[in-house]
Each structure stands twice: as C-alpha cells, then as structure tokens.
C-alpha cells in the first residue's frame, strides 16, 4: 500500500468517525441548551493504572453544562474540534472533588472513567464546583419528582372513587380538596336531590399516563438504538485505526527494506571487503569474549571466596557477640557475689561486735560471781570461828 493510499484511508476513517459523532451530538444538542460554560484542560484517568492522568486535549477547551428539557437531565459536554472528550450525565450520586487550587475531578460510573479539569484560576474552579453542586441537587429533585409521578400513575384511580362511595361521611369526604369542594357546592345549588352514585369515571388521567408511558418507551428505544449505533461506530473506528496503523508500519518497513536492498545492490564489492573485516572483528571480539569469560570465572571464584570469608566473619562475629554476652553475665554474677560478700562481711562485723559485748558482759558477771564467792567464803569462815 502506497503512502497516498494510506492517507486516503486515514481521511476516510476520520470522515466516518466525525460523521457518526456529529450525528450523535447533533441529536442531543438540538434539544439541549447550554446553561454554563468555561475553559479548562481536560484529563482522564489511565484505565490501566487507575492512578496517572492522561490529557485528552492539547490546549484549554470549552466545557459546558447542558440541560435537556425533554428528559429533565443535566450533562457536561466538551468538544475538541469534532471529537467529544467529555459526555457525562450528572446524577445525584456524583461528587466533584477539588484536589488542588486549580484542579478538580469527578467519577462517571456510566462511562467507567474519572474526568479531571485543570483551570487557569481558582475562581473558575470554584464557579464550576458551585454549578456542579447546583445541577446535582436539581438532578436529585428531578429524579424524586419523576419517581413520584410514576407512583401516582401506577396507583389505580378507581380506588379513590370506591373509597369515596363507601365512606361518604369521612373527614376527607367532608373537607376534601379545593376542586372537590367546588364540585360539591355546585351540585348542591343546582341539583339538591342528586344521587350520591353520580361520580364521573376518570378516563383522562389513565389515557394521559398511557400516552406518557408510550412516549417514554419510544424515547428509551431511540436512545438505546443511538447508543448501540455510536458504540458500533466507535468500535469500527478503533478497528480501522488499528488496521491503518498496521498498514503504515508495514509500508514503512518495506520502504526501509527496499532502500537497504538498493544500497546493497550498488555496493557488492565494498560489502565483501566489509564482510572480511567484520569476520576479523568478530574473531577478535570472540577472543576478547573468551578472555572476559576467564576473567569472569576468576571473579566468580573470588566472589565465592569472599562469600566464604564473609560467612566465617559472620560466624566469628556471632561467637564474639555470644562471648561478650557471656562476659556481661559473668560480670553481673561477680558484682552480685561482691555485693553478697560485702553484706556477709557487714554481718560478720556486727556478729563480732555482739560477741565482744557478750564477752564483756560475761566477764562482768564472772567478776561479780567471784566477788560473791569470796564474800560467801569470808562469811563462812567468820561463822566457823
């Protein structure tokens, strides 16, 4: 495939993708009105890492809030030329988070991605965040109203009529709504003897609810068809782009190969000389490689010796640590023994002092006994004479 053919295929793919995008956006933008716009750099989270930001615009683009009055929904849309880089419907579960002074992000579960916007100033970021919160609340209220309408339309209207006929004197039937009171007054003035069973059957509410249900189903069907067509066109565009890229790579490779062959065909003699030189160079490199391998083996042997020395060193270090630990334990035991010795010496000294005092006491007692003996002997001798 030539370069011109590649360019024509690429142009055709671009035109096809732009055509589908234009049809899809035109369908929605014709019935939507922009209510707020600003400019920012657009990013999307990397689907592989879920951490890094991937820029989807080379420069600042317009980011707008749109309101669809027929579906009563709010959306954020941004176009880079004819390419839609943001198409996010605001739901009550979404949250816009300010991650810095000029950057904010929100997650879109329907698109299975996270959008990021980089603004030129903090005021633009704050204004965008305020509008996001405002339209998020509006989306919540709109959802609640739609749920209430669905509940009202699903409730049979005959139940209220039957309840009024069965209990005509209940507080609700006496007070009633404004319409019921006006109807009751009119019936009393015009037909005072009217029968209580004359209650109109509400055909109009049922018909309107069925009409809205049919219209809602038709809108859902059209939306599903457009979504399927857009997804199919997007898949086809991606496939065509991949094929085009493969064709371009193959063309470039063949072009390089042809250029190389042209150069080779004109330089056969030079190639032979270069081949001889290359063979010599290869032999020299092989000899050098063998020498390097021998050096590598020597280095491996030295490394093994170093590992052995390191293991021996580790063993000696461990033994030294164990010896130091044992030495500390022995020092602790020695200190304990010295303390016990000192305590024993103190106890022995006190015991010696107590023995000395006891000996002195015994000496005094012995001396007193000796004196007593002498006095008794003298008494005995005096009595005998």
């Amino acid at each position: 495939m030539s370069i011109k053919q590649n360019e024509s295929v690429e142009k055709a793919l671009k035109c096809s993708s732009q055509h589908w995008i234009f049809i899809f956006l035109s369908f929605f933008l014709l019935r939507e009105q922009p209510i707020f716009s600003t400019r920012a750099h657009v990013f999307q989270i990397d689907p592989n890492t879920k951490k890094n930001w991937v820029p989807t615009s080379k420069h600042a683009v317009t980011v707008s809030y749109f309101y669809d009055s027929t579906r009563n929904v709010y959306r954020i849309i941004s176009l880079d030329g004819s390419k839609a880089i943001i198409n996010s419907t605001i739901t009550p579960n979404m949250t816009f988070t300010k991650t810095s002074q000029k950057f904010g992000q929100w997650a879109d579960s329907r698109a299975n991605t996270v959008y990021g916007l980089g603004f030129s100033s903090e005021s633009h970021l704050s204004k965008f965040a305020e509008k996001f919160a405002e339209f998020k609340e509006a989306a919540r209220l709109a959802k609640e109203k739609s749920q209430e309408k669905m509940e009202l339309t699903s409730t049979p209207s005959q139940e209220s009529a039957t309840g009024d006929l069965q209990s005509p004197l209940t507080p609700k039937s006496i007070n009633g709504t404004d319409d019921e009171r006006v109807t009751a007054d009119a019936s009393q003035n015009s037909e005072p003897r009217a029968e209580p069973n004359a209650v109109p059957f509400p055909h109009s509410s049922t018909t309107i609810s069925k009409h809205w249900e049919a219209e809602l189903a038709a809108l859902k069907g059209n939306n599903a068809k457009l979504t399927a067509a857009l997804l199919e066109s997007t898949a086809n565009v991606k496939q065509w782009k991949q094929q085009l890229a493969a064709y371009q790579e193959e063309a470039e490779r063949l072009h390089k190969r042809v250029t190389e062959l042209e150069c080779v065909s004109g330089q056969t003699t030079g190639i032979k000389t270069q081949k001889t030189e290359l063979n010599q160079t290869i032999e020299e490199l092989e000899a050098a490689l063998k020498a390097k391998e021998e050096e590598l083996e020597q280095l491996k042997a030295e490394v093994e010796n170093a590992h052995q020395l390191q293991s021996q060193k580790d063993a000696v270090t461990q033994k030294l640590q164990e010896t130091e630990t044992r030495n500390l334990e022995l020092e602790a035991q020695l200190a304990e023994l010295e303390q016990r010795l000192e305590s024993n010496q103190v106890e022995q000294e006190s015991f010696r002092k107590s023995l000395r005092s006891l000996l002195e006491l015994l000496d005094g007692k012995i001396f007193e006994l000796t004196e007593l003996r002498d006095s008794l002997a003298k008494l005995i001798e005096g009595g005998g004479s």
Side-chain angles (χ1 to χ4, degrees):
M1 183 179 291
S2 62
I3 298 175
K4 291 183 178 180
Q5 290 177 346
N6 290 336
E7 292 179 353
S8 62
V9 172
E10 186 176 1
K11 288 181 180 179
L13 290 175
K14 288 183 178 178
C15 292
S16 177
S17 61
Q18 292 175 0
H19 177 69
W20 280 107
I21 293 170
F22 178 76
I23 291 174
F24 179 75
L25 292 177
S26 298
F27 175 78
F28 285 101
L29 295 179
L30 284 175
R31 68 182 187 185
E32 296 182 8
Q33 298 295 329
I35 51 181
F36 177 77
S37 298
T38 185
R39 293 186 67 82
H41 291 271
V42 181
F43 300 86
Q44 283 190 15
I45 200 71
D46 190 350
N48 297 322
T49 61
K50 298 296 183 181
K51 293 181 180 180
N52 301 325
W53 288 107
V54 178
T56 56
S57 62
K58 297 181 180 179
H59 51 80
V61 296
T62 302
V63 182
S64 302
Y65 286 100
F66 280 82
Y67 174 64
D68 186 355
S69 58
T70 58
R71 298 171 59 198
N72 199 15
V73 296
Y74 295 85
R75 295 199 306 156
I76 303 174
I77 296 176
S78 178
L79 300 177
D80 188 5
S82 60
K83 179 182 178 183
I85 55 179
I86 297 180
N87 184 11
S88 178
T89 302
I90 299 176
T91 62
N93 297 327
M94 287 185 177
T95 302
F96 185 82
T97 305
K98 296 180 182 179
T99 57
S100 65
Q101 293 182 352
K102 297 182 182 180
F103 193 86
Q105 66 183 45
W106 78 95
D108 190 345
S109 58
R110 296 182 179 180
N112 193 21
T113 187
V114 180
Y115 293 103
L117 297 179
F119 296 88
S120 59
S121 64
E122 187 176 359
S123 60
H124 288 83
L125 174 60
S126 300
K127 187 67 175 177
F128 188 88
E130 292 175 1
K131 291 295 182 181
F132 193 97
E134 177 183 348
F135 299 144
K136 173 185 174 182
E137 181 65 18
R140 185 185 66 80
L141 295 175
K143 183 177 180 181
E144 292 179 354
K145 288 182 181 179
S146 64
Q147 289 178 353
E148 291 177 358
K149 289 181 180 179
M150 293 298 292
E151 291 176 358
L152 290 174
T153 54
S154 62
T155 304
S157 59
Q158 294 181 356
E159 292 179 0
S160 60
T162 306
D164 292 338
L165 291 174
Q166 290 178 354
S167 57
L169 297 179
T170 58
K172 290 184 179 179
S173 63
I174 294 173
N175 296 326
T177 60
D178 296 336
D179 296 336
E180 291 173 353
R181 286 197 294 271
V182 172
T183 306
D185 294 338
S187 62
Q188 288 178 0
N189 293 330
S190 60
E191 297 179 2
R193 295 182 181 180
E195 295 179 359
N197 293 329
V199 179
F201 187 78
H203 293 285
S204 61
S205 62
T206 307
T207 305
I208 291 172
S209 65
K210 290 181 178 180
H211 173 71
W212 281 111
E213 289 176 356
E215 187 173 359
L216 179 61
L219 288 173
K220 288 182 177 179
N222 292 332
N223 191 14
K225 291 179 181 179
L226 287 171
T227 304
L230 178 61
L231 293 174
E232 184 178 0
S233 64
T234 304
N236 292 332
V237 167
K238 290 181 179 179
Q239 185 178 3
W240 294 339
K241 285 183 178 180
Q242 292 176 357
Q243 293 177 356
L244 178 60
Y247 292 153
Q248 287 178 347
E249 291 178 357
E250 183 66 16
E252 291 178 358
R253 189 181 66 80
L254 292 175
H255 181 69
K256 290 180 181 179
R257 183 61 178 168
V258 168
T259 305
E260 292 174 357
L261 291 175
E262 288 176 353
C263 294
V264 167
S265 62
Q267 299 177 356
T268 307
T269 307
I271 289 174
K272 290 181 179 179
T273 306
Q274 291 178 0
K275 181 179 179 181
T276 305
E277 294 177 354
L278 287 173
N279 289 329
Q280 294 178 356
T281 306
I282 289 171
E283 291 176 357
E284 293 175 356
L285 291 174
E286 287 177 351
L289 180 61
K290 289 181 180 179
K292 294 295 183 182
E293 287 178 351
E294 291 176 356
E295 291 179 359
L296 182 61
E297 292 295 332
Q298 292 177 359
L299 290 174
K300 286 182 178 179
E302 292 178 358
V303 168
E304 290 178 356
N305 293 330
H307 285 311
Q308 292 177 359
L309 293 174
Q310 184 65 31
S311 60
Q312 292 177 1
K313 180 183 176 182
D314 294 337
V316 171
T317 304
Q318 186 177 1
K319 289 181 180 179
L320 180 61
Q321 290 178 354
E322 293 175 355
T323 304
E324 289 178 353
T325 305
R326 181 60 179 170
N327 190 15
L328 292 174
E329 292 176 355
L330 292 174
E331 288 179 356
Q333 292 178 1
L334 180 61
E336 185 179 0
L337 290 174
E338 289 178 353
Q339 186 177 2
R340 289 181 180 178
L341 181 61
E342 289 178 357
S343 61
N344 289 332
Q345 289 177 354
V346 171
E347 290 176 357
Q348 288 179 0
E349 188 67 23
S350 61
F351 182 71
R352 287 176 182 176
K353 289 180 180 180
S354 60
L355 285 176
R356 287 175 183 173
S357 60
L358 182 59
L359 287 173
E360 291 175 356
L361 182 61
L362 287 174
D363 290 337
K365 295 295 183 180
I366 291 170
F367 181 74
E368 290 177 356
L369 289 173
T370 304
E371 290 180 348
L372 180 60
R373 178 177 173 279
D374 293 337
S375 61
L376 288 175
K378 288 179 179 180
L379 289 173
I380 291 171
E381 289 177 357
S385 61

